[in-house]
Amino acid sequence: QSVLTQPPSASGTPGQRVTISCSGSSSNIAINYVYWYQQLPGTAPKLLIHRDNQRPSGVPDRFSGSKSGTSASLAISGLRSEDEADYYCVTWDDSVTGAVFGGGTQLTVL
Amino acid sequence: EVQLVQSGGGLVKPGGSLRLSCAASGFTFSNAWMNWVRQGPGKRLEWVARIKSHFHGGTTTYAAPVKGRFTISRDDFMKTVYLQMNSLNTEDTAVYYCTTDPYIDALDVWGQGTLVSVSS
């Protein structure tokens, strides 16, 4: 069981906006940066969002991150078939002195 | 080309040891904080260990399941990070990735992954 809670699955149709949540606690999300990764089948993860809501260069602005209290969210607008992947949130947890991942959300584009 | 190239891994018996290596190129390795992350059969990503840059003290931190058994180290001259894994058990079976920590400059580089399989 993960310290950070994500829905195991999400889905949407092309062009839609989808949001993936990541729920944590006062020792992790509330006080540390949240990062989001996309993992396409058979590949290593790729950074989508850093420091809660910052996009690395090269990441489309269709991807956005937000945080409020002990929860964070990743939003994908203008959904495309190539967005079908697993998405993970990760942050530092001061109570365990280590990084913690969410369980991952498998996004299906219908 | 910015890349991390991993070596090591393979099949080992319970109680055995392995060392993973991860060689960097194309970026300033000495500035990077480095992590090892693993992905077990259930696909969930699990952080394993981190080492900061020497500028930031070279501090090492470990996940609870591996603390006392695994050791992360770095050689900035060789631009390589290592993961020494001792007292391996079946729950350590996973694909292991080395990766840069995005806390520093949002640097996102991953190795190709290497399979560690612990079985009798």
Side-chain angles (χ1 to χ4, degrees):
Chain A
Q1 192 169 350
S2 303
V3 173
L4 303 181
T5 302
Q6 296 180 236
S9 63
S11 63
T13 56
Q16 268 191 331
R17 183 177 188 270
V18 170
T19 301
I20 297 171
S21 62
C22 176
S23 178
S25 69
S26 58
S27 65
N28 46 62
I29 288 180
I31 56 174
N32 292 300
Y33 289 126
V34 176
Y35 301 80
W36 288 91
Y37 287 90
Q38 176 194 60
Q39 187 176 30
L40 298 169
T43 69
K46 170 192 169 185
L47 182 67
L48 287 179
I49 298 291
H50 70 105
R51 298 201 174 200
D52 297 340
N53 55 21
Q54 304 298 303
R55 274 187 312 276
S57 59
V59 174
D61 60 5
R62 301 187 298 106
F63 295 91
S64 63
S66 63
K67 187 174 83 173
S68 178
T70 59
S71 293
S73 294
L74 172 71
I76 310 171
S77 59
L79 200 61
R80 298 182 178 182
S81 58
E82 57 260 40
D83 298 332
E84 194 161 281
D86 293 327
Y87 293 84
Y88 295 90
C89 57
V90 58
T91 186
W92 193 258
D93 191 308
D94 285 12
S95 69
V96 301
T97 316
V100 288
F101 278 93
T105 298
Q106 184 174 33
L107 175 64
T108 301
V109 181
L110 301 169
Chain B
E1 181 184 2
V2 175
Q3 62 179 354
L4 293 170
V5 178
Q6 298 181 220
S7 58
L11 176 63
V12 64
K13 288 182 167 52
S17 298
L18 278 177
R19 189 176 86 153
L20 306 182
S21 300
C22 171
S25 60
F27 64 96
T28 307
F29 178 77
S30 59
N31 291 346
W33 296 9
M34 298 299 299
N35 291 295
W36 287 95
V37 172
R38 66 187 180 184
Q39 190 164 35
K43 289 198 325 178
R44 186 173 67 90
L45 291 172
E46 181 183 18
W47 172 79
V48 173
R50 182 186 75 183
I51 186 165
K52 293 183 177 180
S53 62
H54 284 296
F55 178 81
H56 288 104
T59 309
T60 59
T61 320
Y62 300 92
V66 308
K67 197 169 186 178
R69 301 188 296 122
F70 290 13
T71 302
I72 187 172
S73 60
R74 64 188 298 156
D75 183 331
D76 286 351
F77 180 75
M78 296 298 292
K79 298 182 182 179
T80 300
V81 62
Y82 304 96
L83 185 68
Q84 176 67 43
M85 304 183 292
N86 299 330
S87 302
L88 285 160
N89 58 59
T90 56
E91 293 183 352
D92 297 317
T93 293
V95 172
Y96 285 71
Y97 293 98
C98 60
T99 178
T100 54
D101 195 307
Y103 183 79
I104 302 298
D105 298 332
L107 186 60
D108 182 40
V109 189
W110 290 71
Q112 79 274 22
T114 187
L115 178 63
V116 172
S117 184
V118 184
S119 175
S120 55

